[in-house]
Amino acid sequence: EAAEESEAAEESEAAEESEVAEGTITRAEAAEGSDLLEATEFTGEMQALPRELLVHILGQHCACRDLSALAVCREWRFVAQDVYEAHARRRYPPATIAAAQRSGSFLPGNLKRGWRALLASDNAAGGMWAVAVDGQSSRWKHSGRAMGGAAQAHYEARLQLVAWNRARREVEVVVDAYGERDLRPADSTALVVSVPAVARRRAYLGHGQVLTTGYHIARPKRHAYLERGPGHHCCVLAFDDMVVRRAGARVHFVYNGFGAHNGFAVPPSRTPLEGTDYECALAFSLPSASELPPGAKLPHAFFADERLHLGPRLERVGFVSTPLGPDAYDAAARGVTSWSNVPEYALGRYRDPARRTWGVGPRPEEPGGWAMP
């Protein structure tokens, strides 16, 4: 009799090992799930509820991280998948879920690479969290001077949108620039990150350059134009995401950058925050360590944690497709006519499309197209 009991115990243990080996749960999760089931009094009566109603109840009252409670048996694991799916569909737009499926990282119905894995990765393969920026302009410092065939020339650029590409460990930004017909390229725009003294390190950026203690220039790794005409450039640029990983950092940008190739490198006697012949404009500031919610970390907290208030001039726009494209940035609605303090001598030449001599975009017959390499 004792031998039979021992044999039964071994079979039970072997079944448990098999269940864990299938990749559905770990022992720790199973133990946590058992405790949570007991604490929340999930009973046999609850299992008798219609599956749709059960999914609704659990989806409303269980946080995603607590759903390991449903992994204590095979039947409840399938209920959990429905709850994970409901969470994911509320959190991510359909196009981004489809993109994750095309990438092969997400397989609906698969316990290892299904809805739970999609939530665990925050759908990194399908999209990214974005924040709209209503910040300062990087202007040409000699506005009003004769230049580019205009008696009073004006050049102005804004950083309008920033998104965190978790899969590539990059931040993508949209720079929208207007000027005369000799407007310089937007694709060399640089970010200048000033960090608190406590966080200063010479190896701060993986893809950038340290100029002065506490100031770091980040140069774009990739770019793509949403629009490019003689006097209007709208460009998406990708930078190393280390620029948004330091609490308390202030992120600025300088249109057309600091490269020696354009003759506007920073003189030794000046700091990057003084810019070139374009101003160095503040785009946004990251929260200090004391401002971060409990357990929150950058960059995720800045882009997606609703507990963190971003302050004025910043607004979360939600989860968008990757890479940033025309569907994420409305160039017409957020274009130069919506900007404040643009001088009338420039804006007046823009408002009349028939006689436009400032902010000239591409001709209608010119081929379009957009792609981020």
Side-chain angles (χ1 to χ4, degrees):
E1 186 176 342
E4 290 178 0
E5 290 179 358
S6 175
E7 186 177 344
E10 288 177 3
E11 290 177 358
S12 176
E13 184 175 348
E16 183 182 355
E17 291 285 355
S18 175
E19 192 168 284
V20 173
E22 287 176 4
T24 57
I25 57 172
T26 65
R27 285 187 178 279
E29 288 174 330
E32 178 189 347
S34 298
D35 293 342
L36 187 57
L37 279 175
E38 184 177 351
T40 51
E41 298 182 355
F42 289 152
T43 65
E45 294 178 359
M46 195 169 181
Q47 293 187 35
L49 291 173
R51 185 164 175 171
E52 294 79 5
L53 180 57
L54 185 58
V55 169
H56 175 74
I57 293 172
L58 295 174
Q60 294 295 319
H61 298 289
C62 287
C64 283
R65 64 180 179 274
D66 294 330
L67 290 179
S68 56
L70 304 183
V72 296
C73 70
R74 186 174 299 277
E75 179 182 351
W76 281 74
R77 281 201 298 274
F78 287 111
V79 172
Q81 291 304 310
D82 290 348
V83 180
Y84 290 135
E85 179 179 355
H87 273 288
R89 292 195 181 280
R90 285 197 299 268
R91 187 171 177 83
Y92 310 120
T96 65
I97 295 176
Q101 188 171 358
R102 288 194 300 271
S103 74
S105 64
F106 165 60
L107 299 175
N110 185 290
L111 293 179
K112 288 184 179 180
R113 296 163 65 184
W115 294 103
R116 184 179 184 182
L118 186 76
L119 288 165
S121 70
D122 209 8
N123 196 10
M128 50 193 172
W129 296 100
V131 172
V133 180
D134 183 17
Q136 301 173 358
S137 295
S138 178
R139 291 184 173 188
W140 186 53
K141 293 179 179 178
H142 309 293
S143 286
R145 180 187 296 181
M147 180 68 70
Q152 290 182 296
H154 183 70
Y155 305 85
E156 183 168 349
R158 285 195 177 189
L159 192 154
Q160 297 281 72
L161 190 71
V162 57
W164 179 38
N165 189 329
R166 180 175 176 177
R168 301 189 67 141
R169 296 180 65 87
E170 294 175 348
V171 288
E172 296 181 13
V173 304
V174 173
V175 172
D176 207 354
Y178 293 81
E180 309 300 337
R181 291 179 178 270
D182 60 348
L183 178 67
R184 297 180 203 151
D187 54 62
S188 57
T189 296
L191 298 184
V192 180
V193 184
S194 59
V195 298
V198 70
R200 292 175 184 171
R201 294 182 182 178
R202 291 195 61 80
Y204 178 74
L205 295 176
H207 194 95
Q209 175 185 359
V210 178
L211 294 184
T212 312
T213 301
Y215 299 104
H216 308 270
I217 287 183
R219 304 178 187 280
K221 300 168 67 176
R222 301 175 295 127
H223 73 273
Y225 280 93
L226 302 181
E227 184 173 332
R228 187 175 188 179
H232 180 212
H233 292 180
C234 188
C235 187
V236 179
L237 302 100
F239 298 86
D240 193 295
D241 73 355
M242 286 300 291
V243 299
V244 291
R245 287 186 177 272
R246 291 292 182 189
R250 293 164 63 85
V251 181
H252 309 73
F253 78 105
V254 178
Y255 184 74
N256 196 236
F258 293 95
H261 63 277
N262 58 27
F264 293 99
V266 178
S269 60
R270 294 165 60 183
T271 72
L273 293 183
E274 294 180 67
T276 57
D277 62 339
Y278 274 89
E279 299 167 339
C280 182
L282 176 65
F284 57 90
S285 297
L286 296 172
S288 65
S290 61
E291 293 173 324
L292 290 174
K297 294 181 179 180
L298 293 173
H300 182 269
F302 178 77
F303 288 96
D305 196 329
E306 295 295 337
R307 298 175 297 169
L308 178 65
H309 177 62
L310 295 181
R313 302 186 296 103
L314 297 173
E315 181 183 359
R316 293 188 179 94
V317 297
F319 202 76
V320 300
S321 297
T322 181
L324 284 178
D327 57 331
Y329 176 67
D330 190 339
R334 299 196 61 202
V336 70
T337 54
S338 68
W339 301 0
S340 58
N341 302 321
V342 178
E344 186 58 34
Y345 61 77
L347 201 55
R349 291 190 284 132
Y350 177 83
R351 288 196 177 106
D352 185 356
R355 294 179 294 176
R356 181 174 296 172
T357 58
W358 186 81
V360 178
R363 297 182 181 90
E365 64 272 14
E366 291 180 350
W370 171 88
M372 175 74 86

